[in-house]
Amino acid sequence: MAQYEDIEAYRKYGSEPFFPHHVLRQAIQFLAVFALLVLLASLAPGPMLPKADPFDAPANVKPDWYFLSAYQFLRLTEKLSFLGQWVPRVLGVLVQGLGAMAVWFLPFWDRNPERHPSKRPLAIRVGIGITFFLLAMTLWGHFS
Amino acid sequence: MTEEKTPAEEPKRDASVQKREEFEKRTVFTEMFNLFSLVGFLYGALDERLSVQEGMQRQFGKPVWFYRTRLENNLLACLGGISFLFYLFQVVTGVLLLMHYRPTTAEAYRSVVDITNHVPYGWLVRGIHRWGANLMIVTVLLHMMRVFFTAAYRSPREVTWVNGVLLLVFTLAFGFSGVLLPWHQLSYWATSAGTDTLSAIPVVGEGIKYFVRGGATIGQLALTRFFAFHVVILPGLMLMFLVLHFLMIRRQGISEPL
C-alpha cells in the first residue's frame, strides 16, 4: 500500500480506513437521516397555502426563521430612527454586514494560540452571547 | 563489481516484463473495448495510462482520524457530514420535483398542487425537500458553532473556515430562492419583504433590489430568475466549494483533539 503523510499522528490519535469503516458509518448516518426525513414528511407535511395574489397583502408578513433575526434587528434599528435618518442604515445594515465580515475572516484576526475553551474565555463568552442574541431576536421576531 | 541482483528485485522485473508481454499480445479489439469500458477504467488500457486503480486504492485506504474526547465526541464531529447528506437529499428530491414543476406565474402553484396530490409519492418528495432544507440550515449552523467553540478553524485550516462560511451563505441563498418557487401567498409576500430589505444597503441597495426582482415588483422575471438561481447556478457553485472543503479536510485531517 501507499505511504501516508502524518503516519505518526494517525498512530497517536487512532484512525480507521476510509473504506469500508468510515463509509459504513456514513451509510448508517444516511439511513438514519432518511428515516427521519420520511417520518417528518409523513407526520408534518407542508401546508398548501392559497395562491399568490399581488393585490392582497396578508397582515403579518415575516421572512423564514433563518432570516428572522436579521429582519428583527433591522426593524429594531428602524424604531431608533428618531435619532436621525442615518441610524437604521448604519446600525442595521453596516453593523450586520461588518459582523458577517468579521465572522467570515475570523481565523485571520483571532490569533490566540490556545484551543481549549477554558483557556480562551473571552471568545467563548462572545460566541455564547452572539448565539443567545440571535436566538432572542429570532424568538422576538416570531412572537411579535 | 559483480552484476548480482538481490532476490527481491528479480520477481519484480519478471512481473513487469510479463505485464508488457501481455499488453503486446492484445488485439486491437480488446484494446478498444478496454479503453471504452469500465474494465478499461479499472484494469485495462485507461488504467495503464491514468493509474486510476492506484489512486482509488490510495484514497479508499487512507485512514480517517477518529477520537473521542469529552468535549468533542463523535456526534459533534458528524454535523458537517450530516449537512452534506442533507445536500445530497436536496439534490435528488430537487431533481425529482424538477420533473413536474412548471416555472411560470400562471402554472407554478398548480404544478405544486399536482405534485402534492396527483404525482405518485410526490407529497413525500416535496415533504423531504421542505424538511431537508430546514434541517440542513440547522445542521450547518450547529456545525459552524462546533468549529467555533472547539477552535478548529485555527491555522492551518483558515481557508476551510472561509470556504465554510461561503457554503453557509449558499445554503441561506438556497432557502431564500426556494421559498418563492411554490408561488403561494407566503412565498410571494415573504420574498417581496425580503428583497425590500435589500434597498436598505447604502448606495447600491436599490440597484441590487431591481436586479434581483427583475423589475420594480415581483413577477414572471423574478420567478424565472429565482428558478435559474435555485436549480442551476447555486447547486453548481455549492458543489464546487463543497469539493474544495472536502479536499482540504482530506488533505489536512480534522483538527487535533483538544
Side-chain angles (χ1 to χ4, degrees):
Chain A
M1 283 305 284
Q3 287 291 309
Y4 306 116
E5 60 269 31
D6 284 341
I7 199 85
E8 285 306 310
Y10 287 127
R11 284 217 189 90
K12 197 169 153 197
Y13 300 122
S15 64
E16 58 183 5
F18 178 73
F19 186 86
H21 300 63
H22 192 71
V23 171
L24 189 65
R25 273 169 204 270
Q26 297 273 305
I28 294 168
Q29 283 174 31
F30 179 89
L31 291 177
V33 167
F34 191 38
L36 177 74
L37 282 175
V38 170
L39 198 69
L40 284 173
S42 310
L43 295 182
M48 204 67 234
L49 298 161
K51 191 182 174 179
D53 182 357
F55 303 106
D56 174 28
N60 200 2
V61 180
K62 279 178 212 158
D64 276 292
W65 62 269
Y66 39 89
F67 288 122
L68 212 51
S69 56
Y71 182 75
Q72 189 61 28
F73 190 73
L74 211 61
R75 272 184 38 185
L76 184 70
T77 54
E78 268 163 16
K79 281 179 188 158
L80 295 172
S81 57
F82 60 86
L83 292 171
Q85 278 302 311
W86 53 272
V87 172
R89 284 176 181 228
V90 170
L91 272 184
V93 181
L94 215 63
V95 168
Q96 289 198 56
L98 287 179
M101 281 289 157
V103 170
W104 195 7
F105 294 108
L106 173 68
F108 295 101
W109 54 265
D110 175 22
R111 285 293 180 190
N112 184 357
E114 296 291 347
R115 278 194 56 217
H116 198 273
S118 65
K119 283 174 184 161
R120 44 186 212 122
L122 181 67
I124 296 296
R125 274 176 204 151
V126 169
I128 290 174
I130 290 175
T131 309
F132 273 95
F133 176 72
L134 292 179
L135 263 180
M137 278 292 166
T138 306
L139 287 176
W140 187 16
H142 183 74
F143 289 111
S144 69
Chain B
M1 292 281 276
T2 50
E3 293 234 333
E4 270 182 12
K5 289 194 176 78
T6 52
E9 243 174 295
E10 197 69 59
K12 203 176 160 192
R13 205 184 67 85
D14 268 3
S16 74
V17 167
Q18 218 172 11
K19 215 174 164 187
R20 196 190 162 82
E21 279 169 1
E22 254 171 50
F23 182 76
E24 282 164 357
K25 255 191 281 176
R26 282 191 214 147
T27 62
V28 177
F29 179 74
T30 48
E31 184 72 356
M32 294 284 277
F33 179 77
N34 282 345
L35 197 61
F36 293 113
S37 67
L38 270 176
V39 182
F41 198 66
L42 272 186
Y43 301 109
L46 262 182
D47 185 47
E48 265 149 28
R49 285 160 182 77
L50 305 173
S51 51
V52 179
Q53 205 183 2
E54 195 199 327
M56 277 174 78
Q57 270 172 0
R58 266 179 82 116
Q59 276 308 310
F60 282 167
K62 185 175 171 177
V64 179
W65 290 10
F66 73 97
Y67 41 77
R68 293 183 180 82
T69 63
R70 208 154 54 83
L71 268 166
E72 220 178 343
N73 57 38
N74 269 12
L75 266 182
L76 287 179
C78 276
L79 286 165
I82 290 175
S83 308
F84 177 60
L85 285 182
F86 278 126
Y87 175 78
L88 291 183
F89 274 107
Q90 293 306 95
V91 169
V92 173
T93 53
V95 168
L96 291 177
L97 289 173
L98 199 56
M99 302 281 169
H100 292 275
Y101 178 72
R102 301 189 283 278
T104 62
T105 52
E107 283 283 288
Y109 182 78
R110 187 70 238 158
S111 67
V112 174
V113 172
D114 279 349
I115 287 168
T116 315
N117 293 339
H118 301 302
V119 176
Y121 292 102
W123 61 272
L124 185 65
V125 174
R126 181 176 166 238
I128 289 177
H129 201 74
R130 184 174 167 279
W131 271 107
N134 284 290
L135 290 178
M136 184 176 167
I137 294 170
V138 173
T139 53
V140 167
L141 288 174
L142 288 177
H143 174 58
M144 188 183 178
M145 279 169 68
R146 198 282 292 180
V147 171
F148 175 78
F149 285 119
T150 59
Y153 55 84
R154 290 281 160 67
S155 172
R157 297 182 181 79
E158 300 104 326
V159 183
T160 317
W161 169 273
V162 172
N163 193 323
V165 175
L166 260 182
L167 289 175
L168 170 68
V169 171
F170 290 152
T171 310
L172 294 177
F174 260 124
F176 186 68
S177 57
V179 160
L180 182 67
L181 300 186
W183 203 253
H184 51 60
Q185 271 291 66
L186 190 73
S187 72
Y188 183 90
W189 290 102
T191 308
S192 189
T195 47
D196 210 35
T197 53
L198 286 175
S199 65
I201 301 169
V203 189
V204 288
E206 285 293 333
I208 292 177
K209 186 174 115 183
Y210 194 84
F211 174 74
V212 168
R213 286 183 176 180
T217 55
I218 289 175
Q220 179 60 56
L221 257 178
L223 183 60
T224 314
R225 213 157 272 202
F226 276 54
F227 178 67
F229 203 61
H230 190 82
V231 304
V232 179
I233 300 167
L234 268 178
L237 263 179
M238 183 113 175
L239 192 65
M240 231 166 66
F241 282 90
L242 273 175
V243 167
L244 266 175
H245 204 71
F246 296 151
L247 280 182
M248 283 187 276
I249 294 160
R250 199 77 179 115
R251 179 81 191 164
Q252 299 174 326
I254 53 173
S255 58
E256 295 185 6
L258 290 169

